[in-house]
Amino acid sequence: MSDESVIAETRPAGAEPWADLPPALATPPGAGAVCDGAGARKIGRGAAEGVFSTGPVLVAHASLTARRLGLTPPGRSSDLMDVLELYAFVRPARFCAPSPTGLALVLGLAEPKSAEEQATALREAAGLLLRELAQPAYPEREAAYGLALTMQRAGWAWGDRVVRALEAGGVRARQHRSAGLDVWSRLTEWEDEAPRGEAGSAPVDSESARIRLEKLLQASGLDETRPSQSDYAAEAAFAFSPRNEEGRPRVLLAEAGTGTGKTLGYLAPASLWAERNQGAAWISTYTRALQRQIDRESHSLWPDPAERKKKAVIRKGRENYLCVLNLQDMVQAAQLGNGDLIGLALVGRWALQTRDGDMTGGDFPGWLPGLFATPAAHAAGAANLVDRRGECVHAACPHYRSCFVEKTIRASRRADLVIANHALVLTQAAFDGARSARGQQQDGETAALKRIVFDEGHHLFDAADSAFSACLSGQEAAELRRWIRGPEGRGRRGRGLEQRLGDMVNDNEAALKSLQDAIRASAALPGEGVSGRVAPASGEVNPIGPIEAFLAAALDQLRARTAETNPYGGPEFGMECALKPVTDPVAETARAAARALAAIEAPLLALSRHLEDILDDEAAELDGSQRSRIEGALRGLDRRARMTLPGWRSMLAALEDGGDQPDPDFVDWLSAETAFGRIHDVALRRHWIDPTVPLEAAVIAPSHGVLVTSATLSDPLQDDPFDLARMRTGSARLIEPPRTLKVESPFDYAANSRVIVVNDLVKDDPRQTAAAMRELFLAAGGGGLGLFTAIRRLKAVYERLGPDLARSGVPLYAQHVDPLEVGALVDMFRVEENSCLLGTDAVRDGVDVPGRSLRVLAFDRVPWPRPDLLHKARRERLGGKGYDDALARARIAQAFGRLIRRGDDKGVFLMLDAATPTRLFASLPPGTEVQRMGLADAVELTRSFLDPETT
């Protein structure tokens, strides 16, 4: 028989792999069900535990199923067959909510409601996926078959069935077949292109923006242009008109109520500007979910997927993308028995199909590593596969030309729209600004940052606060040590400066000496396990080196100045205290720490200068790879030697001025972070009281045009509703004042929403909060979102609420409880119409759930800003009590905006805090009326208002 014969001809025909499936177990709250060849039936919890533990059995998300049954999260077993893993193999890089309902809907089955229907759907889903593999037209069958054989040998529960399904469609018999794990050898490579050049200055007029918007709406299948959306697009064109003087950007602050259609409204002038000027318009968001939503909206601009991939590029920080070298190292380790080969093989399947390698919010199934909550499984998670700080070796990497990060950076330089996030834009702008101030060339990632749209603009202040702050902590200092010296513990990948640059500077005596001096000096930095020496559980403090000694002294000051009963301290928030007045041990150790940091900074700066000389002096001899390596090292040196280390020394120097008065522009404080009742990091922190000072200097003023937009920018209780927005965006200091625009939502809130303050609950009693949410969620038949201002209260309510809802068959999910990331929880909440979800700010900001899946939203209490040291300093500087009110008002309005997403949505918004001032509802849309009533009346109103019979 030839090597190319069809394997189906050489193997005896067995049972079809989808015909002999084991029973499927579904465990929705309150009831379990099992489905086998005889049909589906309800079973009790004890029987469900037996089915799950003794197998073989089909499940959807093994770890979540175990938690619902009160069992320890399982390890891999040939008897535990997770249908989500099968889905990840059959349909890599394609969306699926991680539940039986999610699987059913994505495979075209009817939505399963009862436990029996979910178990039946789970078994049907497994059969459909195996049949899909058996189709002769299944793409890249040979590669899938080779990998399936490898996974079968590794003990994959699905291995035998997947292999048989692929064989059923016909595969070639080969004497030698690849293991299929070397995906890095099959990735496409990027190719450099000539520079695009500076963008032009052709204007975008209002009428052109209106016309472009109309075309976009038609491409989206919408016939009518809403007047408010058209007006918004016309006004947004102002930010894309040419500026007349340097330092006088065209800035527009635009509030657009929910339902206005602001995304297409600003994409119209932005895309026109990009076309006319051969430049990239940057769209910056705060959440990953909105980045992907904007990308989907760009379909109306470029319907062809291949064209859209070139025209619209999503940009994030390096830590979001798959590192191919990490994947290779982990696969090779797993082949030797150290790691989860099956999980890594599924990641490899995804890597060959992914659009851009984005593992956090992209097309990577974030639920995949958590299916089996074991260390081996989690090793295949995003945290270990992405590019960690200081790890990238740039052009020295064998996969440099197939690197997802490098592909994305290069694609963004040729794109019309770059869809980024606030964190990337601000941190990169700060870095580029610092380089420009020294007369150095910007590194290209944001060099063309001239036209920016900040969507979710109400978060711009917080993003600036994070980007322009400094933190000297044990973990941060240990990361710097690792970047300089390389990994010093077992099982850590990475290369220190010597490994990255040694061969480049061996012939340069001065550069080599600077490198060696930096490595020697970095021994003063904390190493692995710093928290165990500075804050050990035993209490026997044993700091090593001057930085750890300073952190130990800082922790002593924290403990001395922080009350144990502090309601804003404790296990959830950790500890914090003002830096000044400092104790003598803190002052003494700070001097030694500053000297140690200066001893590291000096040789790093010298090394940077020597590398710049090499680039100049040896320009003719350096090839492209060598130049890229040096430029990558220079970027890292700049960040650390010219930004991080001077920032740390500046904070420590503030302790030597002899006074106890704080700096008028900054807040300096000490903090300790806790987890599971133990201190895991101690830090000295510095934040701007007003972070819009550097925001305006580094981002707003150098740009040509900026649009800051959100559904919640204005505050109606201020004399000028946009005063706070000007202050919190930095535009108040501009020479040319920003324009403002407010477009009301088209929704009928008076008819479609109710706002209730429940006035007979004790807000500090989690039993009452849980009982209230139970009755309200059940009155609505599910579809409830509970928002909490503290994780501790969320968990306390969940413990009481979960069993109550379970008895009524209403699924309940919770952030910080369920072993799923926020995005996966929201996905399940969205597809399961009658489920409920508990969460904190991250859920509030990331929820986009139109339709009946979200019909009740309840705050456990007023979302006042937490009065920590930083906020108190800002409140004193930026508006006093009115500042607190404005922030709380905005948070309530933002949450309310999650409730009504379409014209036919109906929803009830509740505040379970009787003390909620009426003034905090002033930012809600016109037509909303706040009613105060007891819980019983609120439950009855919720039931009657949301009754589908009355809809």
Side-chain angles (χ1 to χ4, degrees):
M1 183 171 293
S2 73
D3 182 57
E4 290 298 315
S5 59
V6 179
I7 202 166
E9 297 174 359
T10 67
R11 292 176 60 125
E16 293 177 324
W18 49 85
D20 62 346
L21 289 170
L25 176 66
T27 56
V34 66
C35 177
D36 53 23
R41 61 189 181 278
K42 277 189 177 181
I43 57 176
R45 175 167 172 166
E49 290 180 16
V51 172
F52 182 81
S53 302
T54 59
V57 62
L58 304 179
V59 297
H61 208 292
S63 182
L64 181 59
T65 302
R67 191 192 60 74
R68 284 182 173 171
L69 295 174
L71 301 174
T72 301
R76 292 194 181 276
S77 163
S78 60
D79 287 335
L80 194 56
M81 304 173 67
D82 203 311
V83 183
L84 287 168
E85 272 200 339
L86 178 62
Y87 183 89
F89 183 92
V90 178
R91 296 187 175 186
R94 291 166 68 180
F95 171 79
C96 177
S99 68
T101 301
L103 283 162
L105 293 177
V106 80
L107 291 171
L109 301 173
E111 180 182 354
K113 301 286 188 180
S114 66
E116 298 96 317
E117 289 175 349
Q118 289 189 21
T120 301
L122 194 56
R123 205 160 187 266
E124 291 179 0
L128 287 172
L129 290 167
L130 289 169
R131 288 187 181 92
E132 189 173 325
L133 285 177
Q135 294 296 317
Y138 184 77
E140 300 185 15
R141 169 180 303 280
E142 294 293 326
Y145 183 65
L147 185 62
L149 288 173
T150 300
M151 297 172 72
Q152 180 188 40
R153 290 191 293 269
W156 189 31
W158 288 102
D160 182 61
R161 287 177 173 80
V162 166
V163 166
R164 286 192 286 133
L166 287 166
E167 290 174 352
V171 292
R172 299 289 178 182
R174 303 182 188 278
Q175 185 174 1
H176 302 290
R177 187 181 294 275
S178 166
L181 294 168
D182 58 339
V183 296
W184 45 86
S185 66
R186 288 173 277 157
L187 294 172
T188 58
E189 295 186 346
W190 52 263
E191 294 184 2
D192 256 334
E193 298 184 43
R196 194 176 192 180
E198 186 78 15
S201 300
V204 175
D205 60 276
S206 297
E207 188 58 31
S208 296
R210 291 184 193 271
I211 294 171
R212 170 57 62 92
L213 174 62
E214 186 175 352
K215 291 181 179 178
L216 295 183
L217 291 170
Q218 290 172 353
S220 301
L222 301 172
D223 296 329
E224 293 187 9
T225 302
R226 286 167 281 182
S228 59
Q229 187 181 28
S230 182
D231 292 344
Y232 177 91
E235 291 294 327
F238 171 72
F240 297 93
S241 57
R243 67 180 185 181
N244 294 326
E245 293 182 42
E246 184 180 9
R248 290 176 177 254
R250 306 285 193 174
V251 178
L252 174 66
L253 307 180
E255 178 175 293
T258 304
T260 302
K262 69 176 184 299
T263 302
L264 286 181
Y266 60 65
L267 285 182
S271 60
L272 265 177
W273 179 87
E275 287 178 13
R276 292 177 177 179
N277 294 287
Q278 297 299 299
W282 283 62
I283 316 294
S284 179
T285 77
Y286 189 68
T287 60
R288 298 166 182 164
L290 185 56
Q291 278 187 278
R292 291 292 167 181
Q293 180 183 326
I294 294 169
D295 180 53
R296 290 192 295 271
E297 295 270 13
S298 70
H299 177 272
S300 56
L301 279 165
W302 305 290
D304 177 46
E307 183 183 16
R308 189 169 76 256
K309 186 176 181 180
K310 293 180 179 179
K311 295 288 190 178
V313 175
I314 294 178
R315 281 288 288 114
K316 297 182 180 180
R318 286 180 170 271
E319 68 280 1
N320 292 279
Y321 296 92
L322 173 69
C323 172
V324 184
L325 185 56
N326 274 356
L327 177 62
Q328 180 183 12
D329 285 352
M330 292 178 67
V331 165
Q332 291 172 346
Q335 288 177 298
L336 299 175
N338 183 23
D340 177 24
L341 185 65
I342 294 167
L344 290 165
L346 291 172
V347 172
R349 287 279 291 165
W350 165 82
L352 290 172
Q353 299 295 325
T354 178
R355 169 180 166 175
D356 54 12
D358 181 2
M359 299 191 74
T360 57
D363 51 21
F364 179 74
W367 40 260
L368 180 60
L371 296 184
F372 300 91
T374 61
H378 279 296
N384 291 299
L385 284 167
V386 297
D387 178 19
R388 292 174 293 187
R389 287 183 298 172
E391 196 169 70
C392 183
V393 294
H394 298 282
C397 176
H399 310 300
Y400 181 64
R401 296 195 63 83
S402 58
C403 173
F404 288 110
V405 176
E406 296 296 332
K407 287 179 186 176
T408 305
I409 291 173
R410 281 161 177 75
S412 69
R413 294 172 183 169
R414 308 292 302 179
D416 282 6
L417 295 179
V418 180
I419 307 168
N421 54 64
H422 297 350
L424 172 71
V425 169
L426 300 190
T427 54
Q428 190 62 37
F431 176 61
D432 281 350
R435 288 174 68 90
S436 296
R438 295 189 301 273
Q440 294 173 292
Q441 183 179 358
Q442 298 180 2
D443 75 351
E445 290 195 43
T446 58
L449 199 60
K450 304 302 181 186
R451 306 287 174 171
I452 320 169
V453 176
F454 285 111
D455 202 341
E456 297 180 301
H458 56 278
H459 284 299
L460 192 53
F461 185 92
D462 293 330
D465 180 40
S466 177
F468 299 107
S469 61
C471 172
L472 169 56
S473 71
Q475 298 300 327
E476 293 286 332
E479 283 286 349
L480 176 58
R481 176 181 175 127
R482 187 171 70 88
W483 182 81
I484 296 173
R485 301 174 68 89
E488 296 170 292
R490 299 182 61 185
R492 296 290 298 274
R493 189 190 75 77
R495 301 181 184 181
L497 280 178
E498 188 169 23
Q499 289 76 23
R500 293 200 295 273
L501 292 173
D503 62 323
M504 302 293 296
V505 300
N506 274 338
D507 296 333
N508 187 312
E509 185 176 340
L512 184 61
K513 182 179 184 303
S514 296
L515 172 62
Q516 293 169 344
D517 288 347
I519 293 172
R520 280 193 295 270
S522 66
L525 293 168
E528 298 290 335
V530 54
S531 61
R533 296 185 294 274
V534 172
S538 65
E540 297 180 4
V541 179
N542 183 33
I544 299 176
I547 312 299
E548 291 189 15
F550 168 75
L551 295 174
L555 182 57
D556 286 341
Q557 178 172 321
L558 269 166
R559 286 171 168 155
R561 304 272 174 84
T562 306
E564 293 183 5
T565 57
N566 178 10
Y568 304 104
E572 185 170 343
F573 297 113
M575 297 184 291
E576 66 171 28
C577 75
L579 179 60
K580 294 185 176 182
V582 298
T583 62
D584 290 341
V586 168
E588 292 168 4
T589 55
R591 285 191 285 271
R595 287 194 296 271
L597 294 177
I600 301 168
E601 182 182 334
L604 288 180
L605 287 171
L607 176 61
S608 180
R609 290 190 292 269
H610 292 313
L611 290 176
E612 290 168 354
D613 290 341
I614 291 174
L615 282 179
D616 290 339
D617 299 341
E618 302 178 20
E621 290 81 20
L622 293 174
D623 61 29
S625 174
Q626 292 172 320
R627 178 172 291 276
S628 294
R629 286 174 60 188
I630 294 177
E631 289 173 347
L634 281 172
R635 286 195 293 270
L637 286 166
D638 272 357
R639 288 185 185 277
R640 291 158 179 86
R642 291 192 167 103
M643 296 178 72
T644 300
L645 283 166
W648 289 355
R649 287 198 303 105
S650 176
M651 288 191 289
L652 294 170
L655 302 179
E656 301 183 39
D657 61 9
D660 292 334
Q661 293 302 311
D663 190 301
D665 294 322
F666 299 99
V667 179
D668 294 342
W669 77 98
L670 302 174
S671 69
E673 297 178 8
T674 61
F676 306 107
R678 293 185 57 182
I679 294 173
H680 69 85
D681 205 6
V682 181
L684 168 61
R685 299 180 181 275
R686 166 171 283 188
H687 284 239
W688 285 84
I689 293 179
D690 183 359
T692 67
V693 173
L695 169 66
E696 185 264 338
V699 183
I700 307 295
S703 66
H704 290 217
V706 178
L707 168 61
V708 182
T709 188
S710 168
T712 52
L713 276 183
S714 67
D715 187 343
L717 295 192
Q718 297 197 13
D719 293 338
D720 183 329
F722 281 92
D723 268 352
L724 186 63
R726 292 188 188 93
M727 184 274 292
R728 287 176 62 85
T729 59
S731 58
R733 285 185 298 276
L734 292 173
I735 300 172
E736 184 173 324
R739 288 190 183 182
T740 60
L741 172 69
K742 183 169 183 176
V743 180
E744 299 289 357
S745 169
F747 297 153
D748 186 351
Y749 288 102
N752 292 352
S753 67
R754 295 291 182 267
V755 180
I756 303 170
V757 176
V758 179
N759 57 15
D760 59 353
L761 299 177
V762 177
K763 66 179 180 181
D764 292 323
D765 186 349
R767 294 171 299 178
Q768 293 194 37
T769 302
M773 288 190 176
R774 177 194 66 213
E775 296 304 318
L776 291 163
F777 291 172
L778 291 178
L785 174 62
L787 293 177
F788 292 79
T789 56
I791 299 170
R792 180 184 66 254
R793 291 197 299 274
L794 181 155
K795 291 181 176 179
V797 168
Y798 177 84
E799 291 174 1
R800 295 167 172 82
L801 181 60
D804 290 344
L805 292 183
R807 283 188 284 272
S808 298
V810 176
L812 177 67
Y813 303 106
Q815 182 191 12
H816 304 293
V817 176
D818 288 316
L820 291 162
E821 61 172 11
V822 170
L825 288 172
V826 173
D827 288 339
M828 288 171 31
F829 178 62
R830 182 183 294 110
V831 301
E832 298 179 20
E833 188 175 274
N834 296 326
S835 65
C836 296
L837 175 63
L838 306 182
T840 56
D841 283 355
V843 170
R844 181 195 71 206
D845 294 330
V847 167
D848 183 19
V849 183
R852 279 183 54 79
S853 291
L854 175 53
R855 49 194 182 270
V856 174
L857 191 152
F859 261 111
D860 77 317
R861 61 177 62 191
V862 175
W864 295 112
R866 187 162 66 94
D868 54 23
L869 290 168
L870 180 59
H871 175 74
K872 287 191 287 186
R874 286 177 176 159
R875 179 172 57 195
E876 182 178 351
R877 174 79 62 87
L878 304 176
K881 176 179 172 295
Y883 184 66
D884 281 348
D885 281 3
L887 295 184
R889 212 162 20 243
R891 291 175 182 178
I892 290 173
Q894 291 150 21
F896 181 84
R898 306 290 95 191
L899 190 60
I900 308 293
R901 308 296 292 171
R902 300 188 311 209
D904 58 350
D905 281 357
K906 292 185 71 173
V908 179
F909 182 91
L910 299 113
M911 186 69 70
L912 307 183
D913 186 345
T916 306
T918 301
R919 65 181 184 274
L920 297 186
F921 295 103
S923 290
L924 297 188
T928 53
E929 178 186 354
V930 179
Q931 303 177 67
R932 294 178 182 269
M933 62 187 71
L935 177 62
D937 292 335
V939 169
E940 182 53 38
L941 189 155
T942 299
R943 180 181 291 109
S944 61
F945 182 69
L946 296 176
D947 186 349
E949 298 296 324
T950 64
T951 301

